[in-house]
Amino acid sequence: SQQGEEDPQALSIQEGENATMNCSYKTSINNLQWYRQNSGRGLVHLILIRSNEREKHSGRLRVTLDTSKKSSSLLITASRAADTASYFCATDPARGAQKLVFGQGTRLTINP
Amino acid sequence: DAGITQSPRHKVTETGTPVTLRCHQTENHRYMYWYRQDPGHGLRLIHYSYGVKDTDKGEVSDGYSVSRSKTEDFLLTLESATSSQTSVYFCAISDRGTYNEQFFGPGTRLTVL
C-alpha cells in the first residue's frame, strides 16, 4: 500500500488565496519530499524536509512535519494561476533501500 | 532542467510484443529509477539502479526487466507487453538516492492494444 496519502484529493481555490495540502504516512521516515506535476509533464522537486526538522520554507512554500502524527502539510501562500498542478508527497522510509514512496497526489486548481 | 531524456515519448504496441524504453542522463548521477503512473495509483516504482550493473526491484516489477551497462543509460524492457502495462512511464535520477531530490524525465506514454 502507499506510504503517503494526500488529502484532499482535489482542491479548487481563488487566485490569491492560500492552499493547504496534507500528507499522512505509516512508517518512520528519513525525510519527506514534495513534488509538483504540471499536466503532461514530469515531476519537479519542490522541497525536502528531514525527520529532525519541523518546518521549512522556500519562497511561497511552507512545509511542516509532525513525526509523532506521521503527517506533513504543504502550504502555498498567495496562490497564482501557474500553481495549478498536481502535488505529491514522497517519503523515504527509514528502513527502505533508496526507494521513495509516492502518494496519489492532490490536484490543485487556481481559479482566476 | 536536469539533463534527462526518455525515448520514445509515445508508443503504441500490441499485446505480446517486446518493448524497450530508454532513459538517458547527462548528469553522471549514480541512481536511476523507473516509475509508472496510473490514475488512482500515483507513482509506483518498477525498478531502480544504484550503479552500473546494480539494480533492484521496486513495488511493481513483475513483467519488467531493466539493464544498466553504463552510467548514462537505464533501459526498461517489457518482455511481452500486456494491456495492464498501458501507462505513463517516468525515469528519474538522483546523485544521492533518497537523501536528496530526484529529477524526472518528461515521460513515455505507452499504449498496449
Side-chain angles (χ1 to χ4, degrees), chain A:
Chain A
S1 62
Q2 292 288 339
Q3 163 82 317
E5 297 291 339
E6 285 95 340
D7 170 59
Q9 291 188 333
L11 179 62
S12 181
I13 61 173
Q14 295 300 120
E15 193 167 18
E17 295 180 338
N18 295 341
T20 299
M21 289 159 273
N22 302 296
C23 172
S24 60
Y25 56 92
K26 297 176 182 177
T27 64
S28 297
I29 60 172
N30 294 318
N31 67 65
L32 185 146
Q33 305 179 28
W34 285 92
Y35 289 80
R36 183 189 74 232
Q37 183 181 33
N38 292 93
S39 182
R41 307 290 293 273
L43 278 69
V44 174
H45 183 265
L46 294 176
I47 199 164
L48 181 154
I49 186 165
R50 303 195 189 281
S51 60
N52 60 352
E53 298 176 308
R54 292 297 167 257
E55 187 171 313
K56 208 163 182 180
H57 296 256
S58 176
R60 294 183 296 111
L61 305 180
R62 172 178 171 255
V63 169
T64 61
L65 180 65
D66 186 334
T67 53
S68 67
K69 295 181 179 179
K70 291 186 170 57
S71 67
S72 173
S73 67
L74 170 67
L75 169 67
I76 304 174
T77 60
S79 64
R80 306 167 181 169
D83 295 327
T84 293
S86 292
Y87 292 80
F88 295 87
C89 70
T91 53
D92 175 18
R95 295 180 182 177
Q98 297 300 324
K99 308 176 194 179
L100 288 180
V101 181
F102 285 82
Q104 296 182 22
T106 292
R107 175 68 188 168
L108 175 65
T109 302
I110 309 298
N111 302 303

Side-chain angles (χ1 to χ4, degrees), chain B residues 25-101:
Chain B
Q25 61 145 330
T26 58
E27 304 296 324
N28 201 36
H29 282 352
R30 177 184 175 188
Y31 294 86
M32 299 185 76
Y33 303 82
W34 277 109
Y35 296 91
R36 61 178 289 174
Q37 185 174 33
D38 305 287
H41 291 278
L43 255 71
R44 292 180 291 175
L45 181 66
I46 305 171
H47 282 280
Y48 74 104
S49 169
Y50 48 96
V52 174
K53 292 188 170 58
D54 293 321
T55 65
D56 200 359
K57 295 179 180 180
E59 180 186 356
V60 289
S61 59
D62 287 348
Y64 302 94
S65 62
V66 290
S67 66
R68 191 171 179 198
S69 59
K70 46 187 179 178
T71 299
E72 57 266 36
D73 289 325
F74 192 32
L75 304 180
L76 176 71
T77 297
L78 291 65
E79 301 290 347
S80 178
T82 66
S83 58
S84 65
Q85 294 176 312
T86 291
S87 186
V88 180
Y89 291 85
F90 288 99
C91 176
I93 62 174
S94 172
D95 62 349
R96 292 181 61 215
T98 56
Y99 297 140
N100 60 359
E101 63 191 303

